[in-house]
Amino acid sequence: MKQPKGSCRWHDNPRVLKTLCRLPRKMRKMRKYSNLAEFVMHDLCGDQCFDINKAAYIVDNPDFNCIQGVAGCTRNEFFTRGNIWQAPDAFSDHMKCSEFNKAVRAIKRPSCCRETFRNEDMIKDIAHELGMKNFTCCNVEMPHGNHGFFIYEHVIDNDDDHEALLDGINILSFCPINGY
């Protein structure tokens, strides 16, 4: 549903604020899980937060000359067997079977920083490869010269909402980017 002009769907929304504030504590409890980004993506994309239908988290590491898909989340493959944070093994198994997450994690390309193509072209190619038609990309600020990209199906009509989303997705930069 489209929000009235000047109205914010996420900015100052108590549910979004509550979800974002609780994420760091939840993340600390999951130190042994190398797929932490999948947990965070699930909460960020869920209806208690940004309510995003489909999203992919991609990292460009120029030092290793690679672009790697880290985590993918789609509404039709959400975990529905309880709380992901209380059933981390079941959630991790579920994500290993998620076709969309597998497609995102299978993305491996040379770094945009070392090649002649632009980030915009790479993002467009990846979005189309993942079946996203109306998509937007936000940069995730990362340490060590890496570049994170959060590609999602477009749902934002408001600048304040865009800022709220940027604040939320940058939590992903605290997640390890290694595999299972």
Side-chain angles (χ1 to χ4, degrees), residues 61-75:
N61 183 322
D63 291 337
F64 289 97
N65 190 27
C66 72
I67 291 171
Q68 173 68 52
V70 178
C73 192
T74 182
R75 175 84 47 215

Side-chain angles (χ1 to χ4, degrees), residues 6 43 75 85 89 91 143 163 165:
D43 268 16
R75 175 84 47 215
W85 303 96
D89 293 326
F91 175 72
E163 287 300 312
L165 179 65

Side-chain angles (χ1 to χ4, degrees), residues 145-165:
N146 293 325
H147 307 280
F149 303 99
F150 184 82
I151 306 167
Y152 65 99
E153 288 188 333
H154 187 72
V155 292
I156 297 178
D157 296 328
N158 183 295
D159 287 341
D160 287 335
D161 281 347
H162 182 74
E163 287 300 312
L165 179 65

Side-chain angles (χ1 to χ4, degrees), residues 18-97:
K18 187 176 181 180
T19 299
L20 295 178
C21 286
R22 289 184 173 169
L23 268 173
R25 184 173 45 170
K26 291 176 180 179
M27 291 168 64
R28 290 280 300 151
K29 292 179 181 179
M30 297 296 170
R31 287 183 298 242
K32 77 173 194 168
Y33 290 89
S34 61
N35 64 326
L36 183 58
E38 294 171 355
F39 286 84
V40 173
M41 288 274 294
H42 194 276
D43 268 16
L44 292 175
C45 293
D47 60 1
Q48 292 299 308
C49 199
F50 297 122
D51 199 21
I52 294 173
N53 186 47
K54 189 182 284 188
Y57 176 44
I58 312 295
V59 173
D60 185 343
N61 183 322
D63 291 337
F64 289 97
N65 190 27
C66 72
I67 291 171
Q68 173 68 52
V70 178
C73 192
T74 182
R75 175 84 47 215
N76 64 353
E77 293 181 343
F78 259 38
F79 185 76
T80 58
R81 297 178 292 159
N83 183 317
I84 63 172
W85 303 96
Q86 293 173 355
D89 293 326
F91 175 72
S92 295
D93 291 342
H94 172 81
M95 292 305 287
K96 285 178 185 175
C97 296

Side-chain angles (χ1 to χ4, degrees), residues 81-162:
R81 297 178 292 159
N83 183 317
I84 63 172
W85 303 96
Q86 293 173 355
D89 293 326
F91 175 72
S92 295
D93 291 342
H94 172 81
M95 292 305 287
K96 285 178 185 175
C97 296
S98 162
E99 292 301 320
F100 185 73
N101 188 50
K102 287 193 291 188
V104 171
R105 292 180 61 88
I107 294 169
K108 292 176 182 27
R109 298 176 182 198
S111 171
C112 286
C113 298
R114 291 204 176 172
E115 298 295 323
T116 57
F117 56 90
R118 301 174 318 162
N119 284 345
E120 294 82 18
D121 296 331
M122 177 268 302
I123 290 163
K124 188 176 186 178
D125 289 347
I126 289 173
H128 288 292
E129 182 180 322
L130 296 173
M132 294 184 189
K133 293 174 181 57
N134 187 16
F135 63 90
T136 301
C137 181
C138 296
N139 293 330
V140 178
E141 294 187 26
M142 300 194 65
H144 312 298
N146 293 325
H147 307 280
F149 303 99
F150 184 82
I151 306 167
Y152 65 99
E153 288 188 333
H154 187 72
V155 292
I156 297 178
D157 296 328
N158 183 295
D159 287 341
D160 287 335
D161 281 347
H162 182 74

